[in-house]
Every structure is written in C-alpha cells, then in structure tokens.
Amino acid sequence: MVNSVTVFKTRAQGSVAAPVLVLAHGAGAPADSPFMELLAAALSAQGVTTVRFEFPYMEKRRQDGKKRPPDRQPTLLGHFRAVIAEACAGVDGQAGVFVGGKSMGGRMASILAAEPGIDDSVRGAVCFGYPFHPPGKNDRWRTDHFQSLCRPIQIIQGTRDPFGRQAEVAARDLDALDNVNLAWLEGGDHDYRPLARQSESREDLIHQAAATAARFMTREV
C-alpha cells in the first residue's frame, strides 16, 4: 500500500469503463490546487477518471504548512510507481490506465513512460504544461528521454509558456519523434492563463486541454 496522506479521485461522468489518469501535481502547488481541481472536473466531463496524489514533500507540507523543495527524482519516481501499482490493481483492464501531471508531475510521468519496465497496464502519459527547460535557460532542455519512450505521450502546452514556447519547441522538431504528440493552447501560459485580449478564459483553455487528453487516451485504449 502507498503511504499517501492525500489521494483525490474524480470519477468520469456517464462512463462505465472510463480511462483512468493517475495525475501528479507540479513543483509548487498541491493536488487540490485550483488548476488541478478545474482540470480534474474538466477531464471527468470528458469521460476520464482521475486519481490525484501528492509526492512526499507535499504531503509533509500539508501536515505542517512548511514549504519544501521537491524530493529528488528517484523519490518522486518511486512514489509515482507505487501509486500506479495501486491504480492498476483496481482498474478493469479494458478501461486503460494512463500517467500524467502538471509541469514537474508531467515530466515525471514522461520519464516513467520511457522506462522499459513500466507496468503493462499503463497505456501512455499526458503532460499538462511540460517544463521543456527552466525559464530563460534554453540550453537546459529536458527531453533526452523522449528518444527512448516505451509508451506514447501527449503534451498540451500554452503557446507562450516560458518553460517552452511554441516557436522554441517547433525548432527542435520534437513531434517528429515516435510516441511524441504535441497540442497547443493559443495564448496560454504555463498555467493556461490566456492573454487579456482573448475571448477564451482560463477555464476554456483547461477544457480544451481536457478534450485533447481524452481524445488521446481514447485512441490509445
């Protein structure tokens, strides 16, 4: 069993055998942040069940209120694997299990999708606002593992995300790689906030992201 203090499950609306997305939070906000709540609700409306969880450092923050930096990558991945194992054990195989996350959580999901030993039940990964590089540091790309993905990934990115703007990503031709799918939210930043002059709201962009994710998962199932 996972020694997890916080797990949020949002069931799909009107679906018996819905895809299940094990969804990790970003580096600085918990599993029940406004973004994650809106995303889980939007995915539910698209027929996707989400299982949100918190990494150990965020669990400790919930307990004592003290902010901490993220755990080291091996700890993050180990905890993620344990949550996946529980999710896969309790899901009908026909529904399909996917891994994903916001920013750092999505990056960890993509790394798991590149592991040869990933659970057979996991069909792919979905990354909401992928941190391609630290803002302003275009020499530190975090995409080397894309070359060895064992499962397909869907990245859903705002066009003006400072962690990887559309022009920067397009120049690297990443969507030409096997198993890499890219979708863009016009005007969105790292948290899918649009430009003030846009007619779409943040909620609109989150719903667009959820619809893209659901199409990807349905196709892979």
Side-chain angles (χ1 to χ4, degrees):
M1 296 291 290
V2 178
N3 184 24
S4 177
V5 178
T6 307
V7 174
F8 301 88
K9 187 169 185 177
T10 305
R11 296 187 180 277
Q13 296 179 15
S15 180
V16 177
V20 174
L21 177 61
V22 182
L23 189 62
H25 58 80
D32 60 348
S33 69
F35 179 93
M36 295 290 278
E37 291 281 356
L38 287 168
L39 180 59
L43 286 164
S44 173
Q46 292 290 333
V48 177
T49 292
T50 57
V51 177
R52 289 173 283 156
F53 69 96
E54 293 187 331
F55 292 113
Y57 78 96
M58 192 62 72
E59 293 175 353
K60 292 175 183 176
R61 172 176 161 179
R62 186 175 291 275
Q63 291 167 3
D64 60 21
K66 295 180 181 179
K67 290 188 177 181
R68 296 172 172 81
D71 301 303
R72 292 185 179 275
Q73 184 170 302
T75 299
L76 297 174
L77 294 176
H79 193 74
F80 210 149
R81 290 188 198 99
V83 176
I84 292 167
E86 285 202 354
C88 289
V91 172
D92 183 335
Q94 292 184 345
V97 175
F98 293 80
V99 294
K102 170 74 171 76
S103 193
M104 179 196 75
R107 182 186 175 203
M108 293 303 108
S110 72
I111 291 171
L112 291 174
E115 291 185 348
I118 188 171
D119 193 298
D120 289 340
S121 299
V122 175
R123 307 293 184 87
V126 187
C127 310
F128 300 93
Y130 189 85
F132 286 100
H133 59 71
K137 298 181 179 179
N138 292 16
D139 59 332
R140 292 175 54 188
W141 281 72
R142 299 159 170 158
T143 55
D144 287 349
H145 62 288
F146 285 11
Q147 302 284 346
S148 34
L149 288 167
C150 302
R151 300 287 189 277
I153 66 171
Q154 173 70 66
I155 296 172
I156 306 168
Q157 196 85 351
T159 56
R160 60 189 186 94
D161 189 333
F163 288 82
R165 292 181 172 85
Q166 187 172 18
E168 298 170 347
V169 176
R172 300 184 77 90
D173 204 25
L174 294 173
D175 54 356
L177 296 173
D178 290 342
N179 285 332
V180 177
N181 303 277
L182 284 166
W184 295 95
L185 302 175
E186 184 62 39
D189 67 4
H190 193 55
D191 292 314
Y192 296 170
R193 286 184 291 257
L195 292 163
R197 64 174 181 269
Q198 286 184 233
S199 59
E200 297 96 341
S201 66
R202 185 194 195 198
E203 288 78 6
D204 290 333
L205 295 189
I206 289 175
H207 277 278
Q208 290 177 27
T212 298
R215 285 194 297 270
F216 166 75
M217 287 183 269
T218 300
R219 183 174 71 243
E220 296 304 325
V221 168

